[in-house]
């Protein structure tokens, strides 16, 4: 070990250049890692797996793909047994199944006659829509809004259409988070820096974090290993201690011998900087601009509460009517975009606006300029 340390210290420049190259390559390849991981949790040879494959081969959809469930609530005074409504439901679901681009298989009360797909009273019915299986790409995020838009256009005015399913619930759970994982990690990391510095009494406490940085980015080599998901996790589990050990044995001695004493002298300044960054992590006032994140899909209602729009960004197909609900106690809000507005601020009630043209529409509350939102309008993929 002593011989290795002496060798490393005699070749400081080469060691630093090597790990910098690993850092650059790992950073460039990190965005490809999720695409290289297999999303297949199946077990070949088992009855469930073989049944899914048989369904996929026979119909070209369904099987391993999670189905979507459009829920249709008819206007008051009508039921699925009303003659015109029954015809409209059949035509609407047939239109979904007939689109050659979407390649959907639809099971509804109109096509099967199954009363189990109709709730008590007959006003609400649902269908089971099997989409094509997209192994690596994952579920199509635009499919559910397009299905809802197609059904809404074909059914009587006043009909409510919502689309749910396992994939949609997962998407909404991620989109509804108040803060991003990256922001939480940064705040936690900065807090950890302060704790480490106080415990060690030296800025050398930052060294383990430098080692961890190179170790984690070094794991981006998984981008070139196209293996199933669980084996990918196994490779990652083996690479983590391997890369960490290599960094500790090579890069850490170089850092301690070169910048270690300087970091020790800079302890007060580093503590102050870390404390300021932690204090500035909250941008104040509880008003956050979250419109830069991915828009929530399949949502047509936005709630104004706690001095923010929730969700702050949504994606809808062209022709969708979006409704804002004002529910922030005694705090008044309004909605103002480019050429459209809800008018005077209000503490309750709703406002609706239909977006006919694809594009991105930004809006804000005139009383709270940092209370912003965004509507992303896309072309419907199902006609």
């Amino acid at each position: 070990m002593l011989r290795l340390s002496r060798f490393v210290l005699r070749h400081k420049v080469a060691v630093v250049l090597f790990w910098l190259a690993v850092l650059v390559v790992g950073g460039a390849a990190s965005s490809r890692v999720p695409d290289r991981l297999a999303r297949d949790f199946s077990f070949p040879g088992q009855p469930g797996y073989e049944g899914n494959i048989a369904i996929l081969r026979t119909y070209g959809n369904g099987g391993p793909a999670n189905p979507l469930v459009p829920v249709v609530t008819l206007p008051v005074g009508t039921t699925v047994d009303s003659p015109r409504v029954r015809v409209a439901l059949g035509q609407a679901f047939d239109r979904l199944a007939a689109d050659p681009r979407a390649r959907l298989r639809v099971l509804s009360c109109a096509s099967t006659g199954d009363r189990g797909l109709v709730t008590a009273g007959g006003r609400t019915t649902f269908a089971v829509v099997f989409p094509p299986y997209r192994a690596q790409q994952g579920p199509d995020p635009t499919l559910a809004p397009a299905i809802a838009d197609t059904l809404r256009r074909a059914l009587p005015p006043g009909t409510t259409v919502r689309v749910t399913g396992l994939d949609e619930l997962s998407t909404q759970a991620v989109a509804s988070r108040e803060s991003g994982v990256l922001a939480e990690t940064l705040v936690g990391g900065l807090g950890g820096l302060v704790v480490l510095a106080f415990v060690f009494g030296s800025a050398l406490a930052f060294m383990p974090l430098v080692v961890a940085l190179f170790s984690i980015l070094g794991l981006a080599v998984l981008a070139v290993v196209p293996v199933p998901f669980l084996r990918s996790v196994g490779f990652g589990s083996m690479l983590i201690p391997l890369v960490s050990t290599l960094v500790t044995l090579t890069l850490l001695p170089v850092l301690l011998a070169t910048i270690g004493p300087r970091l020790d002298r800079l302890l007060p300044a580093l503590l102050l900087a870390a404390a300021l960054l932690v204090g500035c992590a909250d941008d104040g006032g509880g008003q956050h601009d979250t419109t830069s994140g991915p828009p929530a899909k399949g949502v047509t209602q936005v709630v104004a509460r706690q001095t923010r729009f929730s969700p702050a960004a949504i994606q809808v197909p062209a022709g969708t009517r979006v409704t804002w609900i004002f529910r922030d106690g005694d705090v008044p809000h309004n909605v103002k975009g480019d050429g459209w507005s809800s008018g005077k601020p209000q503490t309750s009630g709703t406002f609706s606006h239909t977006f006919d043209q694809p594009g991105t529409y930004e809006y804000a509350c005139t009383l709270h300029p940092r209370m912003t939102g965004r509507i992303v309008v896309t072309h419907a993929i199902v006609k």
Side-chain angles (χ1 to χ4, degrees):
M1 190 65 65
L2 182 60
R3 183 179 302 176
L4 175 62
S5 299
R6 289 174 178 173
F7 175 82
V8 168
L9 292 177
R10 285 198 304 265
H11 301 84
K12 298 184 184 69
V13 176
V15 171
V16 172
L17 291 177
F18 171 77
W19 285 112
L20 284 177
V22 172
L23 179 65
V24 173
V25 173
S30 60
S31 62
R32 299 176 53 196
V33 171
D35 296 331
R36 304 294 293 185
L37 293 175
R39 295 179 173 87
D40 189 3
F41 292 89
S42 60
F43 296 89
Q46 298 300 314
Y49 173 83
E50 299 299 333
N52 280 337
I53 296 302
I55 292 173
L56 190 60
R57 289 173 178 170
T58 302
Y59 298 102
N61 51 36
N66 292 323
L68 295 171
V69 181
V71 181
V72 177
T73 302
L74 299 169
V76 177
T78 61
T79 67
V80 296
D81 298 315
S82 303
R84 293 185 179 180
V85 173
R86 184 168 60 249
V87 173
L89 282 170
Q91 292 176 346
F93 287 120
D94 288 344
R95 184 178 301 178
L96 289 178
D99 192 324
R101 296 171 299 175
R103 296 183 295 131
L104 304 175
R105 180 160 49 96
V106 182
L107 301 179
S108 66
C109 63
S111 62
T112 65
D114 188 351
R115 299 296 296 186
L117 299 174
V118 182
T119 62
R123 274 194 62 206
T124 301
T125 181
F126 62 93
V128 182
V129 178
F130 296 95
Y133 179 52
R134 293 155 47 103
Q136 289 299 323
Q137 302 94 328
D140 185 354
T142 65
L143 185 57
I147 291 175
D149 181 64
T150 298
L151 294 177
R152 196 178 294 112
R153 291 173 181 269
L155 294 173
T159 301
T160 301
V161 180
R162 293 183 175 86
V163 180
T164 185
L166 290 177
D167 296 329
E168 289 302 298
L169 293 174
S170 299
T171 301
Q172 291 304 313
V174 173
S176 62
R177 296 193 62 183
E178 294 294 333
S179 58
V181 175
L182 179 59
E184 296 173 356
T185 303
L186 291 176
V187 173
L190 291 172
L193 288 177
V194 176
V195 173
L196 284 173
F198 274 112
V199 170
F200 281 86
S202 169
L204 293 176
F206 292 88
M207 283 302 175
L209 299 178
V210 175
V211 174
L213 173 64
F214 281 92
S215 302
I216 294 172
L217 291 178
L219 294 177
V221 296
L222 288 176
V224 297
V225 183
V227 295
F229 183 81
L230 292 179
R231 283 193 292 168
S232 298
V233 174
F235 274 103
S237 300
M238 290 185 293
L239 283 172
I240 289 174
L242 175 61
V243 176
S244 299
T245 302
L246 291 176
V247 173
T248 302
L249 294 177
T250 57
L251 183 62
L252 182 58
V254 174
L255 294 177
L256 291 176
T258 53
I259 64 174
R262 298 179 185 177
L263 288 178
D264 203 11
R265 291 193 298 269
L266 291 175
L267 174 62
L270 291 175
L271 286 177
L272 178 61
L276 290 175
L277 288 173
V278 172
C280 295
D282 184 0
D283 59 2
Q287 301 179 22
H288 303 277
D289 180 9
T290 59
T291 59
S292 59
K297 302 176 180 66
V299 179
T300 59
Q301 292 186 343
V302 179
V303 180
R305 60 186 172 191
Q306 297 180 350
T307 323
R308 70 176 62 192
F309 293 112
S310 178
I314 66 174
Q315 177 176 310
V316 297
T320 299
R321 185 179 180 86
V322 178
T323 299
W324 284 264
I325 303 174
F326 301 99
R327 191 184 300 161
D328 203 4
D330 296 330
V331 181
H333 300 294
N334 66 351
V335 177
K336 180 173 176 56
D338 187 7
W340 55 280
S341 172
S342 64
K344 296 181 179 180
Q346 55 196 88
T347 57
S348 61
T350 62
F351 165 71
S352 298
H353 182 76
T354 301
F355 296 88
D356 294 318
Q357 299 298 324
T360 300
Y361 299 82
E362 307 281 351
Y363 64 90
C365 172
T366 57
L367 293 181
H368 309 91
R370 298 184 63 183
M371 184 178 173
T372 60
R374 173 166 53 98
I375 309 293
V376 179
V377 181
T378 62
H379 291 281
I381 65 169
V382 180
K383 301 296 182 182

